[in-house]
Amino acid sequence: ADADHDADVIAIAAANGEYCIALMFIRAGRSLGSTTFFPKAPYAELPEVLAAFVSQYYLEKDSPPEILVEREFDDMAVLESTLGARSGHKVRITASVRGIRARWLEMMRNNAEQALAMRALARAGIESSLEDLRDAFDLDETPNRIECFDISHTVGTDTVASCVVFGEEGPLKSEYRRFNIGGIQPGDDYAAMYQALTRRYKRVRDGEIPKPDVLLIDGGKGQLAEAGRVLAELGVAGITLLGVAKGADRRVGQEQLFLLGRDTPTILAPDSRALHLIQARKSGV
């Protein structure tokens, strides 16, 4: 009976060399929700990607008695017995299903296709923003990694520097960092910036973390010069330095952008995608 049915439902979609796998958990005949994965696989066939995913995913986890997959793949029977032995009960991997099971698979295929489309849409927005940034500042190449530094003061005198990182996919949240700043005069933002950037860019110099194409500093010419001094002292070259100063009335959209070595600020049009990217830097959205 379907009322006590336990199954995982797995479908796959591909577009532009990217893959998405959607997985739904059915327990006691009801869906407990679904999740998506984007496995990296350079131009492999769909059954191969699916097979690799299923065998890796259940390495760590108990398999339910039934795993529904959207298409057949090689060695399904071998995988069935491996997963069965590992979880201590019979496991059936099956692709040809009808009725409610077929509908579950169709739902997951739709989920996978939608997730890929959303990802492409978000990337197109980020990519065109990065191209706009290149054009606005006559950069040689379109930047594909941006780091943004911001100094903030918490209650009392604690000073914190935060580093937000953007890539072509959008915000790289796992790479965000916070630096607690110590041993400076309270309110000395120059010293705070100097300390945070020195700590971060020592690691870039030593090859521990990738070098960004653009470093965005919250502040005008003074802060920008301080950032330039850190990079020069560390001997880190090839990074475009941009300072983002608040406009006269500190309103969003009035930002003045200073490029290190250029005296006059650049003011981007309110509908500029490069400006939207810069405005999003704080929230990392």
Side-chain angles (χ1 to χ4, degrees), residues 19 25 56 63 100 114 143 193 202 244 257 268:
Y19 303 88
F25 310 98
Q56 278 178 319
S63 317
I100 182 92
Q114 277 180 335
M193 185 66 79
K202 260 193 179 128
V244 186
L257 305 173
L268 297 174

Side-chain angles (χ1 to χ4, degrees), residues 6-233:
D6 287 355
D8 285 356
V9 183
I10 304 174
I12 183 167
N16 307 319
E18 277 201 299
Y19 303 88
C20 177
I21 284 177
L23 166 62
M24 178 164 61
F25 310 98
I26 303 288
R27 298 296 180 266
R30 301 181 54 173
S31 167
L32 297 187
S34 64
T35 181
T36 48
F37 301 88
F38 297 92
K40 293 257 184 289
Y43 298 102
E45 295 293 318
L46 288 187
E48 288 172 47
V49 181
L50 190 59
F53 174 81
V54 173
S55 51
Q56 278 178 319
Y57 182 79
Y58 294 103
L59 268 180
E60 314 282 309
K61 300 174 187 63
D62 267 348
S63 317
E66 187 170 41
I67 299 172
L68 304 176
V69 291
E70 186 201 352
R71 55 189 67 223
E72 305 266 341
F73 52 80
D74 290 346
D75 300 331
M76 272 166 70
V78 176
L79 195 52
E80 272 184 346
S81 53
T82 307
L83 297 184
R86 198 179 287 153
S87 46
H89 58 73
K90 193 166 161 43
V91 173
R92 204 175 77 183
I93 303 176
T94 177
S96 45
V97 290
R98 293 201 299 270
I100 182 92
R101 288 180 177 75
R103 287 210 295 280
W104 286 340
L105 276 172
E106 193 183 354
M107 276 167 61
M108 285 308 97
R109 187 181 308 119
N110 289 339
N111 276 19
E113 284 170 0
Q114 277 180 335
L116 274 181
M118 290 302 294
R119 203 168 152 103
L121 198 63
R123 183 181 301 111
I126 295 283
E127 278 179 3
S128 52
S129 306
L130 293 169
E131 284 162 16
D132 282 7
L133 196 61
R134 177 197 64 201
D135 297 342
F137 295 99
D138 302 325
L139 307 178
D140 293 338
E141 288 178 358
T142 303
N144 58 24
R145 185 183 173 91
I146 298 179
E147 293 192 354
C148 318
F149 267 82
D150 177 38
I151 304 292
S152 57
H153 304 277
T154 51
V155 181
T157 55
D158 289 345
T159 303
V160 174
S162 54
C163 171
V164 166
V165 186
F166 277 93
E168 289 163 296
E169 311 275 325
L172 305 174
K173 297 201 167 157
S174 61
E175 301 194 34
Y176 289 11
R177 292 293 175 269
R178 290 173 73 81
F179 300 89
N180 293 315
I181 306 297
I184 60 167
Q185 291 293 313
D188 186 349
D189 282 1
Y190 286 105
M193 185 66 79
Y194 184 85
Q195 189 181 123
L197 289 175
T198 300
R199 281 160 62 185
R200 175 77 174 174
Y201 285 91
K202 260 193 179 128
R203 298 190 61 207
V204 169
R205 179 196 65 192
D206 297 342
E208 292 171 33
I209 49 177
K211 182 168 80 171
D213 304 301
V214 174
L215 170 54
L216 276 180
I217 298 293
D218 214 47
K221 283 187 187 172
Q223 286 285 31
L224 196 57
E226 196 67 13
R229 187 160 78 94
V230 172
L231 295 187
E233 281 178 8

